[in-house]
Amino acid sequence: NNTQVFAIFGDPVEHSKSPQMHNSAFEYLNIDAVYKKHHLKDGKKLKEEFLNNLYNGANITVPHKEQAFKQADEVIGIANKIQAVNTYIKKDDKVIAYNTDAAGFLKAIESFGEIKKVLILGAGGTSKAIALALQEEGKEVVVVNRSESKLNFFKENNIKCYSWKNFRLDYFDLVVNSTSAGLKDDKLPMNKSQLENIFLNSSYAFDCIYGKETPFLALAKKEGLETKDGEDMLLYQGVLAFEYFTNTKIDSKTIEIMRKALKEEN
Ligand code: NDP
C-alpha cells in the first residue's frame, strides 16, 4: 500500500480543521494520501508516536509545539529562533521540522496596505512566532502583555516589550491580538480606553482567533480600522505545511479548495 499518511498531534485535537483542509487538497490533486487526527496527551512521546505510526508528515498543535521542536532531528529556518514547530516531515528516517505559523501570519497580512510598525497584544506561543516573523521582515515590533513573566523571550530577541502597567502609547500601523481573550469569553485583550487610544493612531487590526468576530475586532471596526480574523493565518500555515508534505508549490485554485474545506463543520 503506497498511501501516504499524515496526522495532526494535539490535546485536544477533536476540533481541528486541519484534516478536512489537507484531505480536500489531496483529493483535488489526486494524491494518494490521508490526513488523520492523532490525540496525544504525553508530548514526550511525540517523535516516538510519529515514527511508530510511519507517518510521512504531521502537524503539531497545542500544547506540543515546544516539545516538537526539542525532539526534531533537524529544525529549518525561523523555527530555530521561535523554539516551537508545527510541522514534521520524515526524510531518510530523520524528522525535519518547520514552523509555518510564522510565514502563514505574514501571508495573511499581505492583504493590508504598507505596514512599518506593529503592536502585538499577548506574549504566548503565537506571539513569539508572529513577533519574530515580523522582525525578520524588518518591521518595528512592540509586544504588550498582561503579565511581566512571559517577556524574557522577547528581551532576549531584542524585541521591545512591556507589561500592561509599563506600556506607553505610540503610533502603530497594525495591532494584532495574539491573546486568547475573546476566544471562549467576550473579553477585550486590554483595557477598553487604552485600546481605543491605540486604535486612534492605527490603520489595521488582526486577530489570530478565527470563526467569530471578537470584541477586539468589533472595537477596531467601530474605530474605523480595516480588520481581519485568523482564518487566513490558519489557512496559510496549512498551505505551507502541505507544500512541505508534498514537495510541491500549490496553486490558487487548490488554496481556495482548502479555504472552503476549512469553513465546513467537522
Ligand atoms: P498562549 O496560551 O501561549 O498565550 C496566551 C496569551 O494570552 C498570554 O500572553 C496571556 O497573557 C494572554 N491572555 C489570556 N487571557 C487574557 C485576557 N483575558 N486578557 C489579556 N491577555 C490574556 O496561547 P497561544 O499563543 O497558543 O494562542 C493565542 C491565540 O491565538 C488563541 O486564541 C489561539 O486560538 C490563536 N491561534 C490562532 C492560530 C491561527 O492559525 N489563526 C494559530 C495559533 C493560535 P498572560 O501571560 O498574562 O497570561
Side-chain angles (χ1 to χ4, degrees):
N1 189 335
N2 291 326
T3 306
Q4 296 190 72
V5 186
F6 299 87
I8 176 146
F9 288 97
D11 180 27
V13 77
E14 212 30 62
H15 67 287
S16 174
K17 301 266 186 192
S18 290
Q20 61 206 58
M21 181 165 59
H22 287 273
N23 283 325
S24 71
F26 286 139
E27 196 176 317
Y28 176 68
L29 296 170
N30 273 314
I31 296 172
D32 184 10
V34 46
Y35 188 112
K36 304 172 172 175
K37 289 175 188 167
H38 190 134
H39 182 225
L40 181 72
K41 266 205 135 31
D42 183 1
K44 295 208 167 61
K45 298 219 168 88
L46 176 67
K47 185 179 170 188
E48 186 186 324
E49 292 270 311
F50 176 77
L51 293 172
N52 286 349
N53 282 279
L54 306 178
Y55 292 146
N56 298 84
N59 287 119
I60 301 99
T61 188
V62 176
H64 301 315
K65 292 182 189 181
E66 279 89 7
Q67 269 298 335
F69 167 80
K70 287 186 194 147
Q71 293 170 30
D73 294 313
E74 195 180 328
V75 176
I76 310 288
I78 196 170
N80 284 293
K81 274 187 163 182
I82 301 169
Q83 297 181 13
V85 301
N86 71 327
T87 303
Y88 268 8
I89 307 291
K90 195 161 68 201
K91 201 173 152 201
D92 308 327
D93 288 322
K94 276 170 78 182
V95 178
I96 316 290
Y98 301 84
N99 185 307
T100 70
D101 290 327
F105 169 78
L106 291 179
K107 191 98 189 108
I109 62 164
E110 274 178 13
S111 60
F112 291 145
E114 214 206 348
I115 287 161
K116 290 199 181 108
K117 194 161 171 179
V118 183
L119 178 66
I120 302 174
L121 312 176
T126 308
S127 173
K128 290 178 184 175
I130 289 175
L132 287 173
L134 288 165
Q135 185 193 46
E136 204 161 79
E137 289 290 289
K139 311 295 184 197
E140 216 183 309
V141 183
V142 177
V143 169
V144 60
N145 194 48
R146 179 174 59 184
S147 59
E148 181 80 40
S149 62
K150 289 205 182 87
L151 298 180
N152 272 344
F153 174 89
F154 300 91
K155 289 178 190 155
E156 283 160 14
N157 282 287
N158 297 316
I159 292 167
K160 269 194 209 150
C161 53
Y162 306 96
S163 63
W164 279 1
K165 62 177 197 295
N166 300 327
F167 177 71
R168 270 171 307 149
L169 191 62
D170 200 348
Y171 170 92
F172 301 98
D173 301 297
L174 167 66
V175 186
V176 180
N177 178 29
S178 82
T179 77
S180 40
L183 182 65
K184 287 173 190 145
D185 52 39
D186 53 6
K187 288 187 180 146
L188 284 166
M190 217 175 170
N191 170 296
K192 187 176 179 205
S193 62
Q194 208 160 15
L195 266 182
E196 282 168 340
N197 284 330
I198 293 167
F199 287 153
L200 277 179
N201 293 311
S202 304
S203 307
Y204 310 107
F206 184 91
D207 203 319
C208 297
I209 296 168
Y210 53 87
K212 65 186 276 195
E213 184 176 76
T214 57
F216 169 80
L217 282 189
L219 184 64
K221 205 179 264 179
K222 196 172 137 240
E223 299 297 320
L225 278 72
E226 188 178 327
T227 61
K228 191 166 186 179
D229 79 1
E231 183 189 286
D232 272 8
M233 181 178 171
L234 180 69
L235 171 68
Y236 287 118
Q237 65 75 30
V239 167
L240 295 164
F242 191 91
E243 291 185 335
Y244 290 126
F245 291 158
T246 56
N247 203 14
T248 55
K249 266 259 152 303
I250 68 178
D251 62 6
S252 55
K253 180 78 208 297
T254 312
I255 294 175
E256 286 322 304
I257 301 270
M258 291 173 83
R259 182 195 298 282
K260 199 165 149 259
L262 200 58
K263 287 181 190 289
E264 279 158 17
E265 289 302 314
N266 63 1

